[in-house]
Amino acid sequence: MKNLELRSDCFFTINEPSTNSIKIKNSQFIGFAFPISTKDEAMIKLRELEKLHYNASHICFAFVLGTDSNVYQYSDAGSPTFGG
């Protein structure tokens, strides 16, 4: 990736869904990224992931919406610091 300067007139976004996972010690970490347009849409996706991974001990999430990033939410779901 080229050296990118931070500019207020541009932003990064997710174009298509993506998934990746890693196993550390005895824990499996699965990451999901997908495009959303609204907070409601994000929460629907979160509920779908909670149903799909009902045995997960933690489901953490974060999202930022809008060009000025004024709509955002995140949760570590009570994960221990440096957990894994």
Side-chain angles (χ1 to χ4, degrees):
M1 184 182 284
K2 291 182 178 180
N3 185 12
L4 300 173
E5 64 182 74
L6 294 176
R7 296 172 33 185
S8 63
D9 63 339
C10 67
F11 60 93
F12 292 98
T13 188
I14 299 169
N15 289 325
E16 59 187 44
S18 181
T19 303
N20 204 339
S21 65
I22 186 170
K23 188 167 188 170
I24 301 174
K25 297 182 183 178
N26 292 323
S27 297
Q28 182 76 23
F29 296 87
I30 307 170
F32 299 91
F34 39 82
I36 58 170
S37 300
T38 66
K39 181 178 177 177
D40 288 340
E41 189 177 354
M43 301 317 287
I44 289 168
K45 288 283 193 183
L46 178 60
R47 300 298 167 248
E48 290 172 359
L49 290 173
E50 289 173 339
K51 287 179 184 177
L52 183 64
H53 299 280
Y54 60 89
N55 285 332
S57 58
H58 296 87
I59 296 184
C60 307
F61 70 92
F63 64 84
V64 178
L65 297 171
T67 55
D68 56 2
S69 303
N70 65 343
V71 178
Y72 62 91
Q73 190 169 341
Y74 59 90
S75 171
D76 69 359
S79 296
T81 304
F82 305 111

